[in-house]
């Protein structure tokens, strides 16, 4: 996304850098009547690589992440932001050596790092998605599928009624169960079974009572990398067009067809599929399997994408 033209008048401009398990993301935005993005970019640093055996962040990913955050902070300041906020999520909060990451990032970026809880992450994701008028007054079930965790958030009329962060993520799944190249139908069946069992064991007992309190089925809204990539694959475009992504509506049958197609391709071919960033061609498979599994388990047949989420909420005044 290219930077926007200079501002006229005094409109607060802020930046947030989000350190995830798979990638680091930057959002610079003006805060007028709404959050108006000026620059959005991301870079995969795979902070969670080799993490789940020992729960220790590895030196290489720590260094790459710190360098990336430092570069993003420099770019944000060059655009005249009044503040740079740095937040870290799943891998950082689960790591036994999180202090090493914090020290390296703060030295590189010259700003403090906040390691947020799963509940904070879910609350901010809900606030970001609900800031869109389309979802403000609707009952929504939001899935934020990340590298180390997936947040399930349920709410209506801008009020969350359930939120929880589960240890179900794309990098975590790949580390637990590496895929052959090309992936096989047997590996897809194995992932589907594992995800269904995880949902039945961990998610259903706590989410189903909250769903029962609604008058009807909520709209399912995906946010984060998996959701936006899915929308762009459907559109067959590499462009990040916010409006086009948020206009996408997909049925569960369409999503399953996309999964079957991508699961049949070797990694090199997936990297050239329009809509899939080459460095995410591996993690998109477990991400889509998680989305498909959640829709099937809770009987939701339509998917919507939101480009708003944690970073939008993190820019708003505390």
């Amino acid at each position: 996304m290219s930077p926007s033209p200079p501002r006229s008048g005094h409109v607060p401009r802020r930046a947030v850098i989000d350190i995830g398990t798979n990638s680091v993301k930057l959002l610079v935005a003006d805060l007028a009547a709404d959050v108006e993005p000026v620059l959005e970019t991301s870079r995969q640093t795979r902070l969670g690589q080799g993490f789940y055996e020992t729960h220790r962040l590895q030196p290489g990913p720590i260094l790459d992440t710190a360098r990336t955050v430092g570069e993003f902070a420099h770019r944000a300041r060059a655009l005249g932001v009044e503040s740079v906020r740095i937040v870290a999520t799943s891998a950082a909060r689960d790591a036994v050596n999180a202090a090493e990451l914090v020290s390296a990032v703060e030295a590189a970026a010259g700003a403090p790092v906040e390691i947020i809880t799963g509940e904070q992450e879910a609350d901010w994701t809900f606030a970001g998605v609900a800031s869109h008028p389309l979802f403000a007054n609707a009952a929504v079930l939001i899935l934020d599928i990340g590298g180390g965790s997936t947040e399930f958030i349920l709410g209506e009329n801008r009020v969350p009624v359930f939120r929880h962060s589960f240890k179900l993520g794309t990098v975590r799944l790949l580390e637990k169960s590496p895929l052959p190249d090309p992936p096989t139908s047997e590996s897809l069946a194995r992932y589907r079974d594992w995800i269904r069992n995880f949902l039945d064991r961990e998610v259903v007992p706590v989410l189903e009572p909250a769903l029962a309190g609604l008058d009807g089925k909520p709209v399912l809204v995906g946010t984060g990398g998996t959701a936006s990539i899915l929308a762009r694959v459907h559109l067959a475009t590499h462009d990040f067009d916010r409006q086009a992504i948020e206009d996408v509506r997909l049925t569960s049958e369409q999503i399953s067809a996309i999964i079957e197609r991508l699961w049949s391709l070797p990694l090199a071919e997936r990297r050239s599929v329009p809509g899939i960033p080459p460095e995410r061609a591996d993690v998109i498979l477990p991400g889509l399997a998680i989305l498909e599994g959640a829709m099937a388990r809770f009987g939701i047949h339509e998917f919507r994408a939101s480009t708003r989420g944690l970073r939008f909420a993190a820019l708003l005044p505390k």
Side-chain angles (χ1 to χ4, degrees), residues 251-262:
T251 65
S252 53
E253 291 79 11
Q254 287 174 304
I255 293 171
S256 293
I258 290 172
I259 289 174
E260 297 280 353
R261 176 167 70 91
L262 295 181

Side-chain angles (χ1 to χ4, degrees), residues 16-99:
V16 61
I17 300 171
D18 171 9
I19 302 172
T21 303
N22 187 53
S23 60
V24 178
K25 301 180 181 70
L26 167 67
L27 171 62
V28 176
D30 292 337
L31 276 68
D34 193 4
V35 175
E36 299 175 357
V38 172
L39 173 65
E40 295 179 85
T41 191
S42 68
R43 182 179 301 159
Q44 180 175 276
T45 62
R46 206 55 74 88
L47 182 62
Q49 186 172 20
F51 170 73
Y52 293 105
E53 284 291 321
T54 63
H55 283 81
R56 293 192 68 84
L57 301 170
Q58 301 303 304
I62 288 176
L63 180 59
D64 194 17
T65 297
R67 285 174 174 164
T68 297
V69 175
E71 178 189 324
F72 283 0
H74 176 76
R75 292 178 66 179
R77 292 179 180 119
L79 291 171
V81 299
E82 61 183 41
S83 64
V84 176
R85 190 175 194 183
I86 304 171
V87 299
T89 56
S90 178
R93 64 176 168 254
D94 290 345
V96 297
N97 61 333

Side-chain angles (χ1 to χ4, degrees), residues 122-201:
D123 284 344
W124 290 3
T125 298
F126 179 82
V129 171
S131 70
H132 193 297
L134 185 65
F135 304 122
N137 299 313
V140 292
L141 174 61
I142 300 167
L143 260 64
D144 185 3
I145 301 168
S149 65
T150 294
E151 280 66 54
F152 283 73
I153 312 109
L154 181 67
E156 55 185 332
N157 299 317
R158 292 182 184 263
V159 179
V161 297
F162 173 90
R163 86 277 197 269
H164 193 85
S165 179
F166 295 92
K167 294 183 185 298
L168 175 67
T170 59
V171 176
R172 190 187 292 265
L173 260 178
L174 277 179
E175 295 257 325
K176 178 181 179 62
S177 183
L179 292 173
D181 188 27
T184 61
S185 57
E186 290 80 12
S187 64
L188 175 56
R190 184 175 73 248
Y191 265 55
R192 282 171 165 162
D193 285 345
W194 192 93
I195 290 166
R196 182 170 55 252
N197 289 335
F198 181 94
L199 294 171
D200 284 342
R201 184 177 68 253

